Amino acid sequence: MTYPNDFFILANQLIEAGRFIDSKGWVPATSGNFSARLSDDSIAITVSGTHKGCLQQSDIMLIDSDAQSLDGKKPSAEAVLHTTLYKRYPDINAILHPHSMTATLASQIFKTEVVLQDYELLKALPGIDTHEARIVVPIFANDQNIPRLAEQVDRYIDQHGAIHAYIIAGHGLYTWGDSVLHALRLLETLDFLLSCELHLYGVKKI
Amino acid sequence: MTYPNDFFILANQLIEAGRFIDSKGWVPATSGNFSARLSDDSIAITVSGTHKGCLQQSDIMLIDSDAQSLDGKKPSAEAVLHTTLYKRYPDINAILHPHSMTATLASQIFKTEVVLQDYELLKALPGIDTHEARIVVPIFANDQNIPRLAEQVDRYIDQHGAIHAYIIAGHGLYTWGDSVLHALRLLETLDFLLSCELHLYGVKKI
Amino acid sequence: MTYPNDFFILANQLIEAGRFIDSKGWVPATSGNFSARLSDDSIAITVSGTHKGCLQQSDIMLIDSDAQSLDGKKPSAEAVLHTTLYKRYPDINAILHPHSMTATLASQIFKTEVVLQDYELLKALPGIDTHEARIVVPIFANDQNIPRLAEQVDRYIDQHGAIHAYIIAGHGLYTWGDSVLHALRLLETLDFLLSCELHLYGVKKI
Amino acid sequence: MTYPNDFFILANQLIEAGRFIDSKGWVPATSGNFSARLSDDSIAITVSGTHKGCLQQSDIMLIDSDAQSLDGKKPSAEAVLHTTLYKRYPDINAILHPHSMTATLASQIFKTEVVLQDYELLKALPGIDTHEARIVVPIFANDQNIPRLAEQVDRYIDQHGAIHAYIIAGHGLYTWGDSVLHALRLLETLDFLLSCELHLYGVKKI
């Protein structure tokens, strides 16, 4: 197929994001998946089964807004988690899902949600202008049935209002932004804050 | 505007410092701000909202000694913390403020101050020639009102005498030196020692 | 001697793997050994006593399926652990044995085995398609008598069925795959999961 | 002065060692000092006050076997610790002294000595051929009087026999080998094992 022009620009941004994310150790083996929305609402997304630290352009494919392949390649099994978020949030254009140890441990320790407050860095999240904000990152049970998992996320947002990110237990973080670079900054922010919470939990529990 | 010649030299030093500081993971997302004083008392400082690991010359701007923009760019909201230190300490020419996890956790665990002693590395601080020195790094409550925060710092120094650095709670460390490189060495020193204290706290508390 | 053509291809893959493994800190000093099976059943393996982060082609040698040198070079003292695995598993073509701190600590803390479950990343292991799998990594006592150690491993597999990896206590992890790259992905996976278990152990025990 | 030919070779080895050691974070600020013995018994040693991660040839100087400067440059204040070791051990030709956090914490936690046993990696130390060896790394109180500190080390060896390394409390590790590269491998080994001991101490104490 002939890819739209912005596909190549976004694919390169996802490749660069993958290199950065891998340099932090957040995508061991072939874990993680990333996507970016094109101007025609189709979505560039990583194919299944590649190492995210050394993505090639051929490792990025195109799906439609219902997660159907547009170029015959096989998308990540979790593509529906991406399309569900794009449908709900018209303003976001990129979603990043790494498997960092921080998010994995946070889910095993905090079980249902992580509460973040009193951090200056919270101001890096959209719409937050003081460290006195209170941000909740919900944790959902892992599920190999992805449409069911997507519904669980959707229902949570219906009930609790907008969120900046969520964690799938024993699995990893999903976050999103208006561009790949923006989502990457939110990812740095959230991983830093989750890591702070894990350290403090150890000390407080002791 | 036409920048003075030493602006470009100092801007490059701040760019290099940012790369080093980011390589240590001390400026997640767009956190942190850095400055250096010019010979005419104007101050080169990072603009608001950029990632400090990949600063461009256009991300460094010029303010006067009262933190007013001299080139129309928008300085970091915390510029007044820099100018307050430059006024108090005529001998310092550079200030670095990263958001390291170490300083963030130290503030949450030690609350009001961190005491550093019995470390050979203390000799890296100006005027210290033995590991038997006792250095106090005060911790101030975070405050979105920056002039008020600057006054809090000023008042502390009035009462307690000269300090080498301070921490803003849940936020990060401020340190300074007679050059950008000198401030960078102090930053390495302090982050190392804060990290030692955090490790020892865990063990001692257990 | 004249090496077969695939020797050079596999030697280069082992050199690359060593660079990656060293970048993670998993082969301190001259620890670790790696091998890959050629099409004629001879085995390319690292020689004794070199740093695995900067292997040269001359640091890779050829042994037969009984661990006898085919080129006059001296193989790692642990070569028999490799040949024992190749005999048992006709489908594997590469074995990696680093000395990571994670595996060392896991052996000292968990003593006889590490159980891995409820991790999405388990799906990176061959034949696993859900996080609900339960994977056991056995730990064997260290022994300078390598044939005896190899027998211990063999006996364990006879009794317990196929395994994905094992740990030698105070020493390191052995894992294997159908190619060097595949074994490397399994190594990333296992080190990540062992590290999670160590973190959780600390928290749970507290 | 005209430096002997082997000075330049050894200086380059020390520069490379510094880059490696700094990449591990073991020489914060301007801490640490390194040396290598020339064939005429003079000693190439790092000058005082430079960052060891970016040494230039001009940062390496020449002292005689009594730590007197031979080229007018100022050696590290700890040069006598180096010459004392070279006098005692005719077979060693390089000494490395970083300020790693591991050694700093080990001294604060274990107080008088660190005992290392049941580690396969012990075999990287000269003369050790089994993990069943028991290695003691003594810890000496820090002292700004370097000749007195050197005597303390000397007396310990007189009483306890040969050692592979020692730690100065709150300060760092000294280790040595028959070449710069050999000393570097021992340093990797010891830092890894000290780090294991620190982790296990935390768990056992809990």
Side-chain angles (χ1 to χ4, degrees):
Chain A
M1 81 169 279
T2 312
Y3 290 99
N5 275 347
D6 50 353
F7 173 82
F8 298 103
I9 295 168
L10 294 173
N12 280 335
Q13 292 178 4
L14 293 175
I15 290 167
E16 280 298 315
R19 243 176 248 152
F20 178 88
I21 289 169
D22 180 48
S23 77
K24 304 289 188 183
W26 297 340
V27 278
T30 57
S31 67
N33 42 72
F34 316 143
S35 73
R37 173 150 52 183
L38 278 70
S39 54
D40 66 358
D41 266 355
S42 64
I43 295 158
I45 190 165
T46 45
V47 299
S48 185
T50 55
H51 196 291
K52 302 308 174 297
C54 49
L55 290 169
Q56 305 296 316
Q57 210 163 65
S58 57
D59 300 326
I60 315 289
M61 62 170 297
L62 206 58
I63 55 174
D64 67 15
S65 59
D66 292 315
Q68 299 305 307
S69 174
L70 291 173
D71 57 9
K73 294 185 179 179
K74 190 184 164 216
S76 159
E78 294 164 27
V80 170
L81 291 175
H82 291 247
T83 53
T84 303
L85 285 167
Y86 285 123
K87 281 180 187 163
R88 178 173 275 278
Y89 291 124
D91 288 347
I92 71 170
N93 295 307
I95 300 174
L96 298 174
H97 164 51
H99 279 226
S100 78
M101 197 171 300
T102 314
T104 303
L105 293 172
S107 71
Q108 290 163 313
I109 289 169
F110 298 115
K111 308 293 187 192
T112 56
E113 64 180 29
V114 187
V115 178
L116 303 171
Q117 49 191 348
D118 285 326
Y119 292 106
E120 178 72 10
L121 201 56
L122 286 172
K123 289 166 64 184
L125 300 176
I128 306 294
D129 58 10
T130 168
H131 62 281
E132 293 175 330
R134 183 180 184 276
I135 297 297
V136 175
V137 179
I139 300 168
F140 300 113
N142 198 4
D143 193 336
Q144 298 303 324
N145 183 329
I146 298 301
R148 192 166 61 195
L149 185 49
E151 273 174 46
Q152 201 185 343
V153 175
D154 236 23
R155 207 160 43 237
Y156 180 93
I157 302 177
D158 286 341
Q159 291 171 3
H160 296 82
I163 54 177
H164 293 89
Y166 64 83
I167 296 172
I168 308 177
H171 185 152
L173 185 85
Y174 268 82
T175 194
W176 47 85
D178 56 27
S179 68
V180 174
L181 198 61
H182 186 218
L184 206 53
R185 294 298 156 255
L186 298 182
L187 186 55
E188 274 191 283
T189 299
L190 290 161
D191 203 85
F192 181 94
L193 297 177
L194 289 177
S195 187
C196 285
E197 286 300 308
L198 287 171
H199 279 95
L200 290 174
Y201 176 82
V203 169
K204 284 178 189 161
K205 186 128 184 244
I206 291 163
Chain B
M1 79 170 279
T2 312
Y3 291 100
N5 276 346
D6 50 353
F7 173 82
F8 297 104
I9 294 168
L10 294 173
N12 281 335
Q13 292 178 6
L14 294 174
I15 290 167
E16 280 298 316
R19 244 177 247 154
F20 177 87
I21 290 168
D22 180 48
S23 77
K24 303 289 188 183
W26 297 340
V27 278
T30 57
S31 68
N33 42 71
F34 317 141
S35 73
R37 174 151 52 183
L38 278 70
S39 55
D40 66 359
D41 267 355
S42 65
I43 295 158
I45 190 166
T46 45
V47 299
S48 184
T50 55
H51 197 291
K52 302 306 175 297
C54 50
L55 289 169
Q56 306 296 317
Q57 211 164 64
S58 57
D59 300 326
I60 315 288
M61 63 169 297
L62 207 58
I63 56 175
D64 68 16
S65 58
D66 293 315
Q68 298 305 305
S69 173
L70 291 173
D71 57 8
K73 294 185 178 180
K74 189 182 164 218
S76 159
E78 294 165 27
V80 169
L81 291 175
H82 291 247
T83 53
T84 304
L85 285 167
Y86 284 123
K87 280 181 186 162
R88 178 173 276 276
Y89 292 125
D91 288 346
I92 72 169
N93 295 307
I95 299 173
L96 298 174
H97 164 51
H99 278 226
S100 78
M101 197 171 301
T102 315
T104 303
L105 292 173
S107 71
Q108 290 163 312
I109 289 169
F110 299 115
K111 307 293 186 190
T112 57
E113 64 181 28
V114 187
V115 179
L116 303 171
Q117 50 192 348
D118 285 326
Y119 292 107
E120 178 72 11
L121 201 57
L122 286 171
K123 289 167 65 183
L125 300 176
I128 306 294
D129 57 10
T130 168
H131 62 281
E132 292 174 330
R134 183 179 186 275
I135 297 297
V136 174
V137 180
I139 301 167
F140 300 113
N142 198 4
D143 192 336
Q144 298 303 325
N145 183 330
I146 299 301
R148 191 164 62 195
L149 184 50
E151 274 174 44
Q152 200 186 344
V153 174
D154 237 22
R155 206 159 45 236
Y156 180 94
I157 303 176
D158 285 343
Q159 291 171 2
H160 297 81
I163 54 177
H164 293 89
Y166 63 83
I167 296 173
I168 308 177
H171 185 153
L173 185 84
Y174 268 82
T175 193
W176 47 84
D178 56 28
S179 67
V180 174
L181 197 61
H182 185 218
L184 206 52
R185 295 297 157 253
L186 299 181
L187 185 55
E188 273 192 282
T189 299
L190 291 161
D191 203 86
F192 182 94
L193 297 177
L194 290 176
S195 188
C196 285
E197 286 300 309
L198 287 172
H199 279 96
L200 290 174
Y201 176 81
V203 170
K204 284 178 190 162
K205 185 126 186 247
I206 291 164
Chain C
M1 79 169 281
T2 312
Y3 290 99
N5 275 348
D6 51 352
F7 173 82
F8 297 103
I9 293 168
L10 294 173
N12 281 335
Q13 291 177 6
L14 293 175
I15 290 167
E16 280 298 315
R19 242 176 250 153
F20 177 87
I21 290 169
D22 181 48
S23 77
K24 304 290 189 183
W26 297 341
V27 279
T30 57
S31 67
N33 42 72
F34 316 141
S35 73
R37 175 149 53 181
L38 278 70
S39 54
D40 66 359
D41 266 356
S42 65
I43 295 158
I45 190 166
T46 46
V47 299
S48 185
T50 55
H51 197 291
K52 302 307 176 295
C54 49
L55 289 169
Q56 305 296 315
Q57 211 164 63
S58 56
D59 300 326
I60 315 288
M61 62 170 298
L62 206 58
I63 56 174
D64 67 16
S65 58
D66 292 315
Q68 298 304 306
S69 174
L70 291 173
D71 57 9
K73 294 186 178 177
K74 189 183 165 218
S76 159
E78 294 165 26
V80 170
L81 290 175
H82 291 247
T83 53
T84 303
L85 284 168
Y86 285 123
K87 281 180 187 164
R88 179 174 275 277
Y89 292 123
D91 289 346
I92 71 169
N93 294 307
I95 299 174
L96 299 174
H97 164 51
H99 278 226
S100 78
M101 197 172 298
T102 314
T104 303
L105 293 172
S107 71
Q108 290 163 312
I109 289 169
F110 299 114
K111 308 293 186 191
T112 56
E113 64 181 29
V114 187
V115 178
L116 303 171
Q117 49 191 349
D118 285 326
Y119 291 107
E120 178 71 11
L121 201 56
L122 286 172
K123 290 166 64 183
L125 300 176
I128 307 294
D129 57 10
T130 168
H131 62 281
E132 293 174 330
R134 183 179 185 274
I135 297 298
V136 174
V137 179
I139 301 168
F140 300 114
N142 199 3
D143 193 336
Q144 297 303 324
N145 183 331
I146 298 301
R148 192 165 60 194
L149 186 49
E151 273 174 45
Q152 200 187 344
V153 174
D154 236 22
R155 208 160 43 237
Y156 180 93
I157 303 177
D158 285 343
Q159 292 171 2
H160 296 81
I163 54 176
H164 294 88
Y166 63 82
I167 296 173
I168 308 177
H171 185 153
L173 184 86
Y174 269 83
T175 194
W176 47 84
D178 56 27
S179 68
V180 174
L181 197 61
H182 185 217
L184 206 52
R185 293 298 158 253
L186 298 181
L187 186 54
E188 274 192 282
T189 299
L190 290 160
D191 203 85
F192 182 93
L193 296 177
L194 290 177
S195 188
C196 285
E197 286 300 309
L198 287 171
H199 279 96
L200 289 174
Y201 176 82
V203 169
K204 284 178 190 161
K205 186 129 183 245
I206 291 163
Chain D
M1 80 170 279
T2 313
Y3 290 100
N5 275 346
D6 51 352
F7 173 81
F8 297 103
I9 294 168
L10 294 172
N12 280 335
Q13 292 178 6
L14 294 175
I15 290 167
E16 280 297 316
R19 242 176 250 155
F20 178 87
I21 290 169
D22 181 48
S23 77
K24 304 289 188 183
W26 296 340
V27 278
T30 58
S31 68
N33 42 71
F34 316 142
S35 74
R37 174 150 54 181
L38 279 70
S39 54
D40 66 358
D41 267 356
S42 64
I43 295 158
I45 190 166
T46 45
V47 299
S48 185
T50 55
H51 197 291
K52 302 308 175 295
C54 50
L55 290 168
Q56 305 296 315
Q57 211 164 63
S58 57
D59 300 325
I60 314 288
M61 63 169 298
L62 207 58
I63 56 174
D64 68 16
S65 59
D66 292 315
Q68 298 304 305
S69 174
L70 291 173
D71 57 8
K73 294 185 179 179
K74 189 182 165 219
S76 159
E78 294 164 27
V80 170
L81 290 175
H82 291 247
T83 53
T84 304
L85 285 168
Y86 285 122
K87 281 180 186 162
R88 179 174 275 274
Y89 292 124
D91 288 347
I92 72 169
N93 294 307
I95 299 173
L96 298 175
H97 164 52
H99 278 226
S100 78
M101 197 171 299
T102 314
T104 303
L105 293 172
S107 71
Q108 290 162 312
I109 288 169
F110 299 115
K111 307 294 185 190
T112 57
E113 64 181 27
V114 187
V115 178
L116 303 171
Q117 50 192 349
D118 285 327
Y119 291 107
E120 178 73 11
L121 201 56
L122 286 172
K123 289 166 65 184
L125 300 177
I128 307 293
D129 57 10
T130 168
H131 61 281
E132 293 175 328
R134 184 179 186 275
I135 296 298
V136 174
V137 179
I139 300 168
F140 301 114
N142 199 4
D143 192 336
Q144 297 303 324
N145 182 331
I146 298 300
R148 192 165 61 194
L149 185 49
E151 274 173 45
Q152 200 186 345
V153 175
D154 236 22
R155 206 158 47 234
Y156 180 93
I157 302 176
D158 286 342
Q159 293 171 1
H160 296 80
I163 53 176
H164 294 89
Y166 63 83
I167 296 172
I168 308 176
H171 185 154
L173 185 86
Y174 268 83
T175 193
W176 47 84
D178 56 28
S179 68
V180 174
L181 198 61
H182 185 217
L184 206 52
R185 294 297 158 253
L186 299 181
L187 186 54
E188 273 192 283
T189 298
L190 290 161
D191 204 85
F192 181 94
L193 297 177
L194 290 177
S195 188
C196 285
E197 286 299 308
L198 287 171
H199 279 96
L200 290 174
Y201 176 82
V203 170
K204 285 178 189 162
K205 185 126 184 246
I206 291 164

